[in-house]
Amino acid sequence: MMDSTNKSLVILLSNVVVLLLAATTVQSCFPSDRAALLEFRAKLNEPYIGVFNTWKGQDCCKGWYGVSCDPNTGRVAGITLRGESEDPIFQKAKRSGLMTGSISPAICKLTRLSGIIIADWKGISGGIPSCIAKLPFLRHIDLVGNKISGVIPANIGMLLRLKVLNLADNQISGVIPPSITRLTSLAHLDLRNNNISGVIPRDIGRLKMLSRVLLSGNKISGQIPESLTRIYRLADLEISMNRLTGSIPVSFGKMSVLATLNLDGNLISGEIPGTLMTSSISNLNLSGNLITGRIPNTFGPRSYFTVLDLANNRLQGPIPASITAASFIGHLDVSHNHLCGKMPAGSPFDHLDATSFAYNTCLCGKPLGYCKK
């Protein structure tokens, strides 16, 4: 009979064999994942660089360009295909060439997918498969720089792990789905330069992890939701070149990390909140609106602007004397308003060009002409 020592050795060796077999198993991709990738690839055409030349053999986790797998499960976890890349495969061609085709719903068969990056090809069209909202592990969607049309899937709010949603520079229409306010892990939202209409969801402030909200270059209407000012991590808010109306929420000036606030090219009215001039905002662009009243006389040592653009509005009165107390103003533009009066002396007026003050009612002083007595 086998003694206890030998039994222990046999059990130990058996466990080692099982572990080795398991390790061998997860090195190869699942056949179903491989089939889904090939179905996905069949809807795309890229003749110049040969991005898909490596998509051969049985193991899609090894050597297939742009495909990454989870080493623990062997399941496909990411697809990364960028049209503008420093990767050596792109340096073989003098030009990147265009990938055309569409995003196949077959991508939804990759049930463990956490990242989809199909960016900057400029030729991929069609819609976003609505089934991607059923991929529970998705954390990153980046489809920037294509010709994708249709709408953002209405049920995108099901992607509770999603951190990045970048659909900029496409031809997407429809509205921002109300369900987007359920994406409580979302940190980066970029929908710039599309054909999106409707309003910004009123309760977007529920997304407490957001640091960037970029919605410029669309057809968004309605007022700026007050709830945006309750996102304490928000650093960049760009809603330029839309159809926004109403006034600027005063609470923007109380946000602790907001550095960029670009609202230019809208139909915003009302007055400029005085709190904006002593806030954390360093890039403030309110040009091309219907803003009235005076430039707030609330500048002080905390006022630091790389850009302060108030041009093309309906501002009246003088340029406030307190502006010289700002710690720094790099670019200032108050042209095309109804300002009148003598320019304050000192910084920043000693390094600004006269064009920054042109087309006002009766501004005078350096760098403009002398004031009449």
Side-chain angles (χ1 to χ4, degrees), residues 276-279 281-284 299 302-308 326-331:
L276 296 186
M277 301 308 159
T278 54
S279 66
I281 299 169
S282 59
N283 184 338
L284 178 62
F299 293 86
R302 290 187 59 196
S303 306
Y304 184 101
F305 291 100
T306 55
V307 173
L308 177 57
S327 61
F328 177 77
I329 297 181
H331 172 80

Side-chain angles (χ1 to χ4, degrees), residues 9 64 110 112 118 122 146 159 173 180 185 189-190 201 220 227 239 283 288 298-299 337 345 366:
L9 182 60
W64 284 34
L110 301 169
R112 303 290 298 190
I118 308 170
K122 300 181 175 60
N146 288 293
L159 300 175
S173 57
I180 206 168
S185 296
L189 176 64
D190 192 347
I220 298 170
S227 68
I239 327 179
N283 184 338
T298 55
F299 293 86
N337 278 288
K366 187 179 180 180

Side-chain angles (χ1 to χ4, degrees), residues 53-211:
N53 289 349
T54 59
W55 287 35
K56 298 175 181 178
Q58 296 301 310
D59 190 356
C60 60
C61 293
K62 186 176 181 181
W64 284 34
Y65 181 82
V67 177
S68 59
C69 295
D70 185 330
N72 297 316
T73 64
R75 305 303 300 266
V76 172
I79 298 175
T80 302
L81 302 172
R82 292 191 183 276
E84 298 175 1
S85 173
E86 297 300 319
D87 192 286
I89 194 171
F90 287 88
Q91 305 309 312
K92 294 179 181 179
K94 292 183 179 179
R95 64 189 185 95
S96 64
L98 296 179
M99 183 186 290
T100 57
S102 61
I103 300 173
S104 170
I107 201 170
C108 302
K109 297 178 182 179
L110 301 169
T111 56
R112 303 290 298 190
L113 202 61
S114 64
I116 303 170
I117 301 175
I118 308 170
D120 296 315
W121 290 102
K122 300 181 175 60
I124 295 176
S125 57
I128 302 170
S130 60
C131 59
I132 67 167
K134 297 180 181 179
L135 295 175
F137 297 97
L138 265 184
R139 289 178 170 83
H140 194 126
I141 299 176
D142 186 349
L143 306 178
V144 62
N146 288 293
K147 293 182 180 179
I148 295 170
S149 57
V151 301
I152 302 171
N155 56 349
I156 198 165
M158 296 171 62
L159 300 175
L160 299 182
R161 290 182 171 89
L162 196 65
K163 293 184 177 181
V164 174
L165 178 60
N166 187 352
L167 306 177
D169 301 321
N170 279 288
Q171 298 171 5
I172 295 168
S173 57
V175 302
I176 301 174
S179 73
I180 206 168
T181 62
R182 299 208 303 264
L183 302 178
T184 53
S185 296
L186 196 65
H188 180 101
L189 176 64
D190 192 347
L191 306 178
R192 286 175 295 179
N193 302 321
N194 280 286
N195 295 311
I196 296 169
S197 57
V199 302
I200 301 171
R202 186 176 179 181
D203 55 347
I204 193 170
R206 294 174 57 188
L207 306 183
K208 300 300 184 184
M209 302 302 291
L210 275 176
S211 62

Side-chain angles (χ1 to χ4, degrees), residues 1-2 5 46 49 59 101 115 178 241 269 306 334 348 357:
M1 293 181 65
M2 186 180 298
T5 302
E46 194 289 292
I49 305 171
D59 190 356
M241 306 308 294
S269 57
T306 55
V334 295
F357 309 97

Side-chain angles (χ1 to χ4, degrees), residues 204-225:
I204 193 170
R206 294 174 57 188
L207 306 183
K208 300 300 184 184
M209 302 302 291
L210 275 176
S211 62
R212 304 192 79 199
V213 176
L214 311 176
L215 307 175
S216 298
N218 282 288
K219 300 174 182 178
I220 298 170
S221 58
Q223 298 190 11
I224 302 169

